Amino acid sequence: MFFALDGFLFAGWVVRIPAIKQQTGASASTLGLALLGVSAGAVITMMLTGRLCRRYGSHAVTVACGVLLPLSIALPAQTHSALSLGLVLLVFGAAYGGMNVAMNSAAVDLVAVLRRPVMPSFHAAFSLGGMVGAGLGGLVAGGLSASTHLFLLAGIGLLVTAFAGPSLLRHRPAPAAVEAAGPREPKQRLSPRARRIVVLFGVIALCTAYGEGALADWGALHLEQDLGAHPGLAAAGYALFALTMTAGRLTGTLLLERLGQTRTLVLGGATAAAGMLLGSLAPTAWLALAGFAVTGLGLANIFPVAVGRAGELAGPSGVAAASTLGYGGMLLGPPAIGFLADWFSLPVALTTVALLAAAAAVLGYTARNATTSAPA
């Protein structure tokens, strides 16, 4: 439920970016700088959340962020300048970053106990939440102001946390069970080689999360501004991307069991690269939507595999390290897209998503031996 809530709230924010851009009067580059506030807040929090999870438990930190994230999502629509937008996005980014490290740490513990590669299923819930959030945003885009929409999302988020939080707090992971599933103390167990592998998987996560962030923050604007799509259809672009990503993640466990990590990473990166080339350079909105759909299928399982592997090696610290790099790509990518859009054009800027997806495929192949023989 918390994975789904995270995706739902994030999607609700991103589909209103065109309206908030108009409200603040920001250019593409100044909007990109404002979006950097999300990056800064998230990266700073991610660096601290691994420690908080070890001290207070990943469940408690997840619930705390489940309160902060809905409260912070209502803030961007109250701003009227790029500077004030960037400042409130620091708060939103801090809550978002903390939530992602905490809930992924909790998921890694469950995966270790289950001894099955079910990490994509948790991320499928995130994508499903994103699909619902973006779809709802598309439906209300023409009838509700951004302020009213985000305020309602804040209320929904607090209700979900109030419902799911107490149950999560009552069922904390049993340390003995987690330790029985594998070594979990990074300071004593990790070799320098294993630390390098954690960073490698973090970079793979970064390459693919860059694409998720770019489509989330710029996909609707590309469809509306460059291809003349209606605001509702433009919002549906991210919903379609989230739908195919959800479908890919729901089949992720089966893919991992049949193909293994390396083939899953390589095939996913290559598929996403092809899809994003179509999505960014297509001459019509419908072809671009098809490209977004293919991109979602390709990116679906790369991030869960990368973060899950880092968590297997180093526990919450590994999740924090890979997540910081990965979500750094998701959150630093949109500002980079903004500057490239001003220098060249938005379609050209979006082709960098395809380049990094291809890089993830290459790195995934490079990590084939590390995946099977890395010391833990």
Side-chain angles (χ1 to χ4, degrees):
M1 290 188 71
F2 280 100
F3 270 86
L5 175 63
D6 192 50
F8 176 77
L9 293 177
F10 186 74
W13 144 247
V14 300
V15 299
R16 300 316 297 245
I17 286 177
I20 293 175
K21 177 179 183 291
Q22 183 178 11
Q23 174 181 304
T24 58
S27 66
S29 58
T30 55
L31 177 63
L33 284 174
L35 294 173
L36 193 60
V38 183
S39 310
V43 169
I44 292 171
T45 305
M46 285 174 172
M47 294 168 64
L48 301 174
T49 305
R51 298 177 185 176
L52 292 175
C53 288
R54 288 194 302 273
R55 182 169 181 178
Y56 299 106
S58 57
H59 290 192
V61 179
T62 299
V63 173
C65 293
V67 174
L68 294 175
L69 187 62
L71 291 176
S72 65
I73 198 173
L75 299 177
Q78 309 305 316
T79 62
H80 297 281
S81 70
L83 176 60
S84 60
L85 177 62
L87 292 175
V88 301
L89 288 179
L90 279 170
V91 181
F92 177 72
Y96 181 73
M99 170 79 92
N100 278 279
V101 172
M103 67 185 186
N104 274 292
S105 295
V108 166
D109 288 340
L110 288 169
V111 169
V113 174
L114 291 171
R115 297 180 180 272
R116 287 194 67 210
V118 298
M119 194 66 163
S121 299
F122 292 103
H123 288 259
F126 173 88
S127 298
L128 181 61
M131 180 187 67
V132 173
L136 179 64
L139 289 174
V140 305
L144 288 180
S145 67
S147 179
T148 302
H149 178 205
L150 296 183
F151 181 78
L152 290 174
L153 292 186
I156 293 172
L158 291 173
L159 286 175
V160 171
T161 299
F163 174 77
S167 177
L168 194 63
L169 292 174
R170 285 195 302 270
H171 297 84
R172 298 194 177 191
V178 175
E179 287 171 7
R184 307 292 291 157
E185 181 53 55
K187 290 185 178 179
Q188 296 180 1
R189 302 286 185 176
L190 277 187
S191 67
R193 181 172 182 267
R195 292 190 185 95
R196 290 193 295 270
I197 294 169
V198 168
V199 173
L200 174 62
F201 281 107
V203 173
I204 292 173
L206 181 152
C207 290
T208 57
Y210 177 97
E212 292 187 50
L215 280 171
D217 285 1
W218 295 103
L221 196 63
H222 170 56
L223 291 168
E224 187 174 340
Q225 170 186 288
D226 299 319
L227 300 176
H230 182 273
L233 181 62
Y238 183 72
L240 180 60
F241 170 77
L243 173 63
T244 57
M245 181 168 279
T246 302
R249 286 174 170 173
L250 287 173
T251 60
T253 298
L254 181 62
L255 282 175
L256 287 168
E257 289 178 336
R258 292 193 174 183
L259 300 180
Q261 290 185 357
T262 298
R263 290 181 181 177
T264 300
L265 292 174
V266 173
L267 180 62
T271 301
M276 199 56 211
L277 283 176
L278 175 62
S280 58
L281 301 178
T284 68
W286 291 106
L287 282 175
L289 286 170
F292 288 179
V294 174
T295 303
L297 283 174
L299 294 181
N301 294 304
I302 302 178
F303 191 95
V305 168
V307 172
R309 182 57 179 158
E312 291 171 13
L313 287 167
S317 296
V319 173
S323 295
T324 299
L325 284 168
Y327 284 104
M330 177 180 283
L331 301 170
L332 290 172
I337 294 286
F339 283 109
L340 289 171
D342 269 357
W343 292 337
F344 303 102
S345 68
L346 184 53
V348 170
L350 289 173
T351 61
T352 59
V353 175
L355 292 176
L356 287 183
V362 173
L363 291 174
Y365 182 75
T366 303
R368 63 192 183 280
N369 293 327
T371 302
T372 57
S373 62

